[in-house]
Amino acid sequence: MLLAIDTSAGTAVAAVAGNGRVLAERSTADTRRHAEVIGPFLAEVLAGADAEAAGGNADPLTGVVTGIGPGPFTGLRVGIAAARAVAIARGVPLLPVPSHDAVALDLIEGGVAAGRFCVVTDARRREVAVTEYAASLPVPSVVRSARLEPRLGFAPDEGVVLYEVTEIPATALAHVAAARLAAGATFPDPQPLYLRAPDVTMPTGPKRVTS
Amino acid sequence: MNTDNPLVLGIETSCDETGVGIVRGTELLANTIASSMDEHARFGGVVPEVAARAHLEALTPTIEQALETAGVALADVDAIAVTSGPGLAGALMVGVGAAKALAVALEKPFYAVNHLVGHVGADLLRDDEGELELPTIALLVSGGHTSLLHVRSLTHDVELLGETIDDAAGEAFDKVARLLGLPYPGGPHIDRAAATGDPRAVRFPRGLTLPKDLEKHRYDFSFSGLKTAVARHVERMRDDGLDVPVADIAASFREAVADVLTAKAIAACRDLGVPRLLLGGGVVANARVRELAAERAEAAGVALRIPPLSLCTDNGAMIAAIAAQRIMAGHEPSSLDVAADSTLPVTVVQA
Ligand SMILES: [Zn+2]
């Protein structure tokens, strides 16, 4: 069983059994309450999943999947911090997955996307985060990894269909990780895809207070 | 859960130190800290986004290191504690997210506690002095806060007497250091430069100490005017082509800060009839603040307590200590949906 956590858009938590069956799932599109809802969501999903495993209806937890963004930093960090904590608490590996991969898999499996397409999420400050894919299974192939583009005037290359979403499906995030594990594929580092340097103003020397 | 002598792991991420502490009741087992201070040095102050990024990187390694130091396993822990405020919002959220997840995954109770009360609770973990007596006045000063508290109980009765109405004292040290061409963080460098200076060279203003200010702000602090006065003084000297006597300016500035801090703290002890004063926060590293506090406390018949520096600067052990106090007093855990609250009032010991 895999537990998947993503806070790159709203907050999404899901537990998926080894056979792909969704055991428990909670999500909200709210982009302002990650640190609040992560607690109850995790408690409900883990309680449901642990009960299924205890009853012999599912395998025990074997990994924690963390959506590494891109996404607004403050919220994104909450889910990654939580996933890292669950992994050390349960003694299972952390499996980092770019959040857009989950959306891409959902679009391909749902028969929505085919050929070349891109997944777009809000990056605030009039920018969007864009990842370009080629439809493939079991794992979508990344044609161009995540980048920022101005929201106004951004158009994908010809023939590339754009899908903008406001939520990341945690179940699909778990499915991507399971497919990577099954294929023996590697996972990226568990670092957030910030795509932007921190906001800082370099000191220019003390400002005069007298004229 | 063991409620007589609980084993608590505490996480602190309110500013630029990632702290993880492990205590058993009032016994300190581990106090592990990763600081991002060096990353802020070139900016001359704590940059919130830089601090939050550093917390995420440091948190799980710091937890693992604390467990190793304490010689306990996560499964042995009775409760997970975290600072839920006050502090930098984005920084707090890293700790809160991780602490909730630890508690849920381990099926242990979760305690969200107040950072400032934690600073007072740090004193419980000392083994070099007798027990902390209450009530006490507590003066907590660091780069992030300057607060004067009346502590009647560490579990449920803490009152804010006053706080800074502009800069924290530590910020003033950083800004004056920059003005004098001294490195960040300003506190230790000003302290060093001041050692050979004359504290009476310049009489810098003492904020909120005039009779009319004392009516409304008896226990509040203000360092913005002091900082400007130092800047004005230095600029005038430079404009006149004079060499700036760094040691004298540093000593005079430090004297003004130490004077106001200790005068107001001792006044609170006198006014409220509380003959005890506790210092907390990074400022206890400042030699002159310690010296003047000791001098004035003795003259006023006030017993002064200063925990060791490793417990005074931000740390997770103090957070674990407060949670342990709450557990031993029979308080229920916090709800798993509590928010990181950057302005959590000091009257809320546990959120
Ligand atoms: Zn502090």
Side-chain angles (χ1 to χ4, degrees), chain B residues 82-87 92 96 110 112-115 338-342 344 350-351:
Chain B
V82 71
T83 301
S84 67
L92 288 167
V96 168
F110 165 74
V113 309
N114 189 299
H115 176 82
V338 299
D341 182 352
S342 58
L344 186 70
Q350 182 193 339

Side-chain angles (χ1 to χ4, degrees), chain B residues 1 66 108 131-132 164 184 188 193 211 226-227 235 286 314 317 339:
Chain B
M1 179 182 28
K108 306 288 184 187
E131 250 176 65
L132 172 68
T164 180
Y184 173 87
L226 168 61
K227 177 192 69 192
E235 279 167 21
N286 189 288
D314 291 350

Side-chain angles (χ1 to χ4, degrees), chain A residues 149-206:
Chain A
E149 292 283 354
R151 174 172 282 287
L152 264 175
F154 169 67
D157 293 342
E158 199 166 325
V160 177
V161 186
L162 181 157
Y163 299 96
E164 176 158 5
V165 296
T166 54
E167 287 193 68
I168 304 295
T171 51
L173 200 71
H175 287 144
V176 172
R180 290 185 95 111
L181 284 172
T186 56
F187 285 83
D189 287 337
Q191 314 302 336
L193 295 171
Y194 286 122
L195 306 184
R196 238 185 230 140
D199 251 351
V200 285
T201 37
M202 285 296 286
T204 51

Side-chain angles (χ1 to χ4, degrees), chain A residues 14-150:
Chain A
V16 176
N19 62 7
R21 185 167 66 94
V22 177
L23 300 170
E25 179 176 17
R26 286 298 313 269
S27 72
T28 172
D30 192 334
T31 56
R32 315 210 133 263
R33 301 183 66 244
H34 301 98
E36 286 99 308
V37 300
I38 193 73
F41 281 14
L42 267 176
E44 286 167 40
V45 169
L46 264 180
D50 286 342
E52 293 242 27
N57 301 319
D59 52 319
L61 188 71
T62 52
V64 182
V65 188
T66 178
I68 54 171
F73 316 149
T74 308
L76 175 61
R77 276 189 289 263
V78 171
I80 298 176
R84 289 180 179 182
V86 175
I88 63 164
R90 292 290 180 98
V92 296
L94 183 70
L95 306 169
V97 171
S99 303
H100 287 181
D101 285 14
V103 178
L105 182 69
D106 248 10
L107 291 168
I108 299 163
E109 284 189 329
V112 179
R116 297 259 302 270
F117 67 99
C118 61
V119 173
V120 173
T121 50
D122 184 43
R124 302 210 174 136
R125 301 187 191 179
R126 300 196 203 119
E127 288 189 310
V128 287
V130 183
T131 312
E132 196 173 317
Y133 294 92
S136 67
L137 288 173
V139 180
S141 345
V142 176
V143 174
R144 193 172 167 194
S145 51
R147 67 185 196 272
L148 292 178
E149 292 283 354

Side-chain angles (χ1 to χ4, degrees), chain B residues 12 14-15 115-116 119 141-142 144-145 281-282 312-315 318:
Chain B
E12 152 65 40
S14 69
C15 192
H115 176 82
L116 292 174
H119 272 301
V141 186
S142 76
H145 37 75
C312 280
T313 48
D314 291 350
N315 67 85
M318 68 187 197

